[in-house]
C-alpha cells in the first residue's frame, strides 16, 4: 500500500469585482512576490491544523500582527482538533454534550448551515467514516460494504442540536462524531484577516495549507498572483489567478490519499456512499469574500462534480466563484473569473461557465 499526504499552496482568486489590468507576476513557487526594500515585512511558518501554514504581513505593525496571528491560529487549533484530548471538539465527541466557546459554537453552527444548504453533501458528522478509512490515524484501509452501510447510519448531521442561549451542542446519536476539518481553515483565515484589519495591516497573504487568504494588494499596488496546482503533475501549475482581499480555497484528490492495487483512495468522503468521492473532478477551487463559505463549498462542489457544482453556483453566484479541474485535465471557470484567470498548463485555456 502506498500513501501520501501533500500540503500545497493551491490557488487564490478574485470574486466579482473587476480583475483586468493587474500588473503583477508570480514567483517560481507560485506563491507571492517579494516586497520592495522600503517595505517592512514579517513572516512566520508554523505547523497547525495538520498542515504547514505561512503568515505574511507588510507595514509598520507587520511583526506584531504576524505574532498575534500565530497565537490566534494555535488557539483555534486547540479548540477545533478532533484528535487532541484537550480540545472542545474532542470532548464534545466523547461526552456528546458540551457548552463550548464562541468560536467553536460559531463554526459548528456554520458547518451545519452549509450542510443543509448543500443538501447535506457537506457533512460535519462524517468523521466516523473518515476514521474508518484511516485518514486521521494513518492506518489506511478499505472498509467493506457492510461496514460502510453501518457507518452510514451514524453520520446524520440532524442529530446535532444547538442551544444559542447557552452555546451548548448536543449529539443525540451515540456513534456520531463531529469533524470541522472542512471549514476550520477557512474560518481561521477569516479570523486572521479581520485581525490584520483591526491592526491596520493593509497588505499580506496567508497560506494555510491549500487555503489562501489575501489581504489587500501587494505593497506596489498590484494584485496578488497565486498559482493553481496541476493535480496530475502536482508540481506544475494549471493556471494563475489575480486577486485582492479574497479567500481562495482548494479541495483536491491529490492532497491526502493512499493507493492500493493501483487505485487511489483520497480523503474527500461522499456521505452518500461513505467512500472517497468519484465525481470526475481532480480539484475544485472556491473564491469568496467569506473564508468559511469557500472552505465548505470547495468540499461540497468537489463531491457534486462539475455539472451539479455549476448548477449550485448559478443559484449562489453572489457568494462565490469556482475553478473546476476534471480528471481529464479540462478546466472550467465560472464567469466571475473570466478576466482574472490565466491557464498555464498544456490544455491552453479554460471553458467559462455562465
Amino acid at each position: 500500500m502506498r500513501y501520501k499526504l501533500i500540503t500545497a499552496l493551491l490557488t487564490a482568486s478574485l470574486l466579482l469585482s473587476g480583475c483586468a489590468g493587474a500588473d503583477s507576476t508570480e514567483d517560481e513557487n507560485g506563491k507571492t512576490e517579494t516586497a520592495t526594500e522600503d517595505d517592512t515585512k514579517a513572516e512566520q511558518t508554523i505547523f497547525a491544523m495538520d498542515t504547514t501554514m505561512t503568515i505574511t504581513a507588510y507595514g509598520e505593525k507587520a511583526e506584531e500582527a504576524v505574532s498575534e496571528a500565530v497565537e490566534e491560529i494555535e488557539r483555534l487549533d486547540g479548540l477545533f482538533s478532533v484528535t487532541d484530548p484537550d480540545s472542545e471538539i474532542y470532548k464534545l465527541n466523547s461526552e456528546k454534550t458540551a457548552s463550548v466557546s464562541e468560536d467553536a459554537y460559531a463554526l459548528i453552527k456554520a458547518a451545519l448551515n452549509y450542510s443543509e444548504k448543500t443538501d447535506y453533501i457537506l457533512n460535519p458528522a462524517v468523521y466516523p467514516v473518515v476514521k474508518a478509512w484511516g485518514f486521521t490515524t494513518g492506518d489506511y484501509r478499505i472498509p467493506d460494504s457492510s461496514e460502510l452501510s453501518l457507518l452510514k447510519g451514524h453520520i446524520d448531521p440532524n442529530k446535532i442540536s444547538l442551544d444559542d442561549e447557552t452555546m451548548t451542542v448536543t449529539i443525540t446519536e451515540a456513534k456520531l462524531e463531529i469533524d470541522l476539518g472542512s471549514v476550520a481553515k477557512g474560518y481561521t483565515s477569516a479570523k486572521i484577516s479581520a485581525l490584520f484589519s483591526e491592526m491596520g495591516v493593509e497588505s499580506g497573504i496567508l497560506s494555510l495549507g491549500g487555503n489562501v487568504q489575501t489581504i489587500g494588494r501587494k505593497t506596489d499596488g498590484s494584485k496578488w498572483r497565486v498559482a493553481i496546482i496541476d493535480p496530475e503533475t502536482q508540481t506544475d501549475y494549471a493556471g494563475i489567478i489575480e486577486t485582492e482581499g479574497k479567500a481562495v480555497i482548494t479541495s483536491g484528490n491529490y492532497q491526502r490519499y493512499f493507493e492500493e492495487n493501483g487505485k487511489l483512495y483520497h480523503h474527500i468522503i461522499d456521505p452518500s456512499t461513505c467512500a472517497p468521492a468519484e465525481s470526475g473532478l481532480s480539484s475544485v477551487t472556491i473564491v469568496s469574500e467569506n473564508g468559511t463559505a469557500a472552505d465548505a463549498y470547495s468540499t461540497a462542489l468537489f463531491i457534486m462534480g462539475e455539472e451539479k457544482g455549476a448548477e449550485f453556483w448559478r443559484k449562489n453566484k453572489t457568494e462565490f466563484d469556482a475553478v473546476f479541474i476534471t480528471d481529464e485535465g479540462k478546466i472550467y471557470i465560472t464567469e466571475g473569473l473570466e478576466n482574472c484567470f490565466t491557464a498555464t498548463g498544456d490544455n491552453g485555456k479554460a471553458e467559462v461557465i455562465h
Side-chain angles (χ1 to χ4, degrees), residues 233-307:
T233 67
Q234 301 173 25
T235 54
D236 298 327
Y237 305 132
I240 303 292
I241 305 178
E242 297 166 346
T243 179
E244 61 175 312
K246 306 293 177 182
V248 183
I249 296 176
T250 297
S251 291
N253 63 9
Y254 57 91
Q255 294 167 319
R256 183 177 298 178
Y257 65 84
F258 69 90
E259 187 174 330
E260 186 169 327
N261 297 325
K263 183 172 180 178
L264 182 149
Y265 298 90
H266 60 79
H267 74 295
I268 305 172
I269 299 296
D270 182 345
S272 69
T273 62
C274 291
E278 296 184 358
S279 64
L281 294 176
S282 293
S283 76
V284 173
T285 297
I286 300 297
V287 184
S288 177
E289 293 181 350
N290 184 326
T292 311
D295 213 355
Y297 292 154
S298 71
T299 299
L301 270 65
F302 181 96
I303 297 169
M304 290 180 194
E306 184 271 325
E307 187 174 331

